[in-house]
Amino acid sequence: MQNRRVANEEPVKAIYLNNSLVQCPVQSWLTLQDFFSLHNQDWAKNATLLEGAILEMSLTTEQDWIHSHTIPYLPSETVISLFPRCAPRSGGTKIRVTGENFAERDSLACRFGSMNAELVRFISSKEIECTTPQFNHFGSGAHVVEFQIANNGADFSSSTGFFEFYDHLIIEDANPLFGEAQTVIGISLDDNAMKTKALEKQPGTPSEPFNFLSSYANPKCVFNHTEIVDAKVTSPTSVSCAAPPCRHPQGGGVLLQLSANSGFDVVDVGFFVYSATQKVPFRLEPNHGRKGGGTRVLAKGISGSFVRDVMPLCRFGSYTSRAVDINRDEGYVACISPPNSVNNFASSVAVDISLSGQVFTNFSVAFRYDEEVFVRSLHPSRGFASGGTDVQVLGGPFANSHELKCRFGTNIVNASFHDTNHISCLSPTLDQVHEVQKVSVFSMAHNPEIQSIS
């Protein structure tokens, strides 16, 4: 086998590979004027192909042409834009590519760095869709690669784009997760956890960690899987977004998700609960408690039915938890107050109740945090079981309030306020103590008394 020729080109040496395969170098794009020149009409042999050429083979000399095959000539592919421009390393993200001269061929290929796309879908000569491969190169962290297109699956375009792969996003904090439309929610990433998890999956030297300031990122917040809103970048690892209008007048909870690439790939942040528009009045008993938390607080309705069949939610400031008890007969919801540290050590917070487990009453009641009270000494420290001993209590800080009490065991009595460091209480009668007594019987041997009479 000696040569091959393509349309109006001079014969070129073929590269022998094996008994059934040779490689023929194909030259650049042929113009239509060249293709249909008089000099080459006998080669075209009435072919109607406009973007192609005729390949003929010679096994002996340049005059002994024995076979012809149509080789299409396609214009060079041009990449104009990618959307989105970043995706997780796990792969599977569908990227919309715009450009010029894309060909509807089985050989059409997209390449991210050195890795071909898992799937390529032809849409038009100016648009295709490429599915990202799993990207495990370069350890962990964010990494930018070159993006290219090849109509024939081999000759990738010199016109390129760039694309960023990043690790799975891990949420560190989101606050607040309740409110109304336009409530601004702050969301931050746990950068250290992302690095640790990535290194567990792919040991190696990590690249620079992902951050929202990347020119390839386009962060979005997604509400209820359908509402996509812009996220404002507040730091390399944090964003904020405003809640869209609630579709239900009675409010409700919706899933909040975060995306770094325009909503294509998301991670769950938590449930954002919309407040109800109708207020349900209630009161708190007591309406204050320890800074360290743990106070059992009863929320009681002021008018109408307040307790429902589901376990309600209690919200102290920005902290939400399940109620610990409900009593339909007495009409109260029992909550345990959290420590004030969860609300930036606030001296008081607004408390609200969600009777349905989703929608809050929108009737905020203040809960005050008290200073931690301690007892330094008691005088006297003992008294009669019948009670009535005037016990002086030193410590504090004590509040001058009708709620001031002393507790002896399980008995609670009123206390008298003297100053912030001194109160006094009358000891109650000691309750009967029911105990099982253990009786031991010990019997000595009988020794009759013997007296001597003289």
Side-chain angles (χ1 to χ4, degrees):
M1 183 176 296
Q2 298 295 324
N3 302 288
R4 70 96 169 113
R5 63 178 182 175
V6 179
N8 66 332
E9 299 179 24
E10 293 297 324
V12 180
K13 289 287 185 180
I15 302 173
Y16 176 84
L17 299 178
N18 56 45
N19 291 338
S20 60
L21 183 65
V22 295
Q23 177 178 323
C24 300
V26 178
Q27 306 260 335
S28 60
W29 161 261
L30 295 179
T31 64
L32 295 180
Q33 181 179 0
D34 291 337
F35 183 77
F36 288 105
S37 65
L38 292 177
H39 178 71
N40 294 314
Q41 278 186 349
D42 59 325
W43 287 47
K45 298 179 181 178
N46 299 320
T48 59
L49 182 66
L50 297 180
E51 296 183 350
I54 305 300
L55 176 78
E56 294 179 304
M57 305 297 299
S58 170
L59 297 178
T60 55
T61 67
E62 296 179 6
Q63 305 302 320
D64 184 16
W65 305 104
I66 62 172
H67 183 69
S68 65
H69 181 75
T70 301
I71 299 294
Y73 271 77
L74 302 175
S76 298
E77 314 87 342
T78 301
V79 176
I80 296 177
S81 68
L82 305 176
F83 184 77
R85 300 179 63 204
C86 63
R89 286 174 171 260
S90 55
T93 304
K94 295 180 179 179
I95 309 301
R96 192 62 62 94
V97 183
T98 62
E100 299 286 347
N101 302 324
F102 300 145
E104 187 175 7
R105 302 175 60 83
D106 293 338
S107 59
L108 180 63
C110 305
R111 188 166 67 184
F112 295 83
S114 60
M115 303 180 66
N116 282 8
E118 292 184 355
L119 183 67
V120 180
R121 183 171 70 92
F122 178 85
I123 300 174
S124 72
S125 62
K126 296 184 178 182
E127 188 174 5
I128 60 174
E129 183 182 83
C130 304
T131 302
T132 60
Q134 186 174 2
F135 188 80
N136 292 325
H137 296 330
F138 305 101
S140 61
H143 196 82
V144 177
V145 298
E146 192 176 39
F147 176 85
Q148 296 173 295
I149 298 291
N151 282 325
N152 63 0
D155 300 314
F156 285 90
S157 59
S158 57
S159 172
T160 63
F162 291 91
F163 190 85
E164 183 178 45
F165 286 96
Y166 58 84
D167 294 319
H168 177 76
L169 304 182
I170 299 177
I171 304 300
E172 180 178 43
D173 184 47
N175 185 51
L177 289 177
F178 65 91
E180 302 174 348
Q182 299 306 311
T183 296
V184 178
I185 307 160
I187 305 172
S188 59
L189 299 180
D190 191 336
D191 194 39
N192 290 330
M194 289 170 58
K195 291 178 183 177
T196 301
K197 189 170 184 179
L199 288 173
E200 289 176 355
K201 291 184 176 181
Q202 185 69 26
T205 303
S207 304
E208 287 296 319
F210 170 81
N211 73 79
F212 291 116
L213 295 175
S214 167
S215 60
Y216 301 94
N218 186 21
K220 301 284 185 180
C221 290
V222 183
F223 291 79
N224 202 30
H225 301 286
T226 56
E227 298 280 348
I228 300 177
V229 301
D230 291 333
K232 180 182 178 181
V233 178
T234 54
S235 80
T237 57
S238 62
V239 297
S240 64
C241 53
C246 181
R247 296 190 176 188
H248 304 285
Q250 297 303 318
V254 298
L255 179 62
L256 170 61
Q257 298 170 302
L258 177 66
S259 171
N261 61 350
S262 307
F264 282 78
D265 299 283
V266 296
V267 293
D268 292 349
V269 174
F271 278 90
F272 180 82
V273 180
Y274 285 95
S275 300
T277 56
Q278 182 179 3
K279 296 183 178 181
V280 180
F282 65 95
R283 67 181 184 275
L284 298 179
E285 297 179 2
N287 61 3
H288 59 97
R290 298 173 57 248
K291 285 185 174 182
T295 302
R296 182 182 172 90
V297 181
L298 303 184
K300 296 184 176 181
I302 295 176
S303 62
S305 176
F306 189 71
V307 180
R308 299 182 184 177
D309 294 332
V310 298
M311 189 60 73
L313 294 175
C314 306
R315 187 174 70 198
F316 288 74
S318 61
Y319 181 85
T320 301
S321 63
R322 288 284 180 189
V324 295
D325 188 23
I326 56 176
N327 189 309
R328 294 179 181 83
D329 295 332
E330 298 185 25
Y332 69 74
V333 173
C335 310
I336 301 298
S337 67
N340 71 337
S341 58
V342 301
N343 286 294
N344 295 321
F345 300 94
S347 60
S348 65
V349 294
V351 176
D352 208 348
I353 305 296
S354 171
L355 300 177
S356 64
Q358 285 190 331
V359 182
F360 283 86
T361 61
N362 204 25
F363 187 85
S364 298
V365 178
F367 179 84
R368 187 184 75 249
Y369 282 104
D370 299 329
E371 295 292 336
E372 297 290 342
V373 177
F374 69 95
V375 175
R376 186 170 67 248
S377 63
L378 300 178
H379 302 283
S381 60
R382 64 180 61 187
F384 295 110
S386 58
T389 302
D390 188 11
V391 181
Q392 306 299 311
V393 183
L394 301 180
F398 303 121
N400 187 7
S401 168
H402 68 278
E403 296 177 326
L404 191 60
K405 306 286 184 181
C406 294
R407 186 173 67 188
F408 292 78
T410 58
N411 292 321
I412 299 176
V413 298
N414 291 327
S416 298
F417 178 84
H418 299 286
D419 60 46
T420 57
N421 298 314
H422 180 199
I423 62 173
S424 62
C425 312
L426 291 178
S427 64
T429 301
L430 179 65
D431 290 337
Q432 291 183 352
V433 178
H434 300 279
E435 293 182 348
V436 176
Q437 300 292 333
K438 182 179 179 181
V439 179
S440 298
V441 178
F442 177 75
S443 176
M444 297 184 65
H446 176 65
N447 291 317
E449 183 180 354
I450 301 175
Q451 295 183 0
S452 177
I453 300 175
S454 59

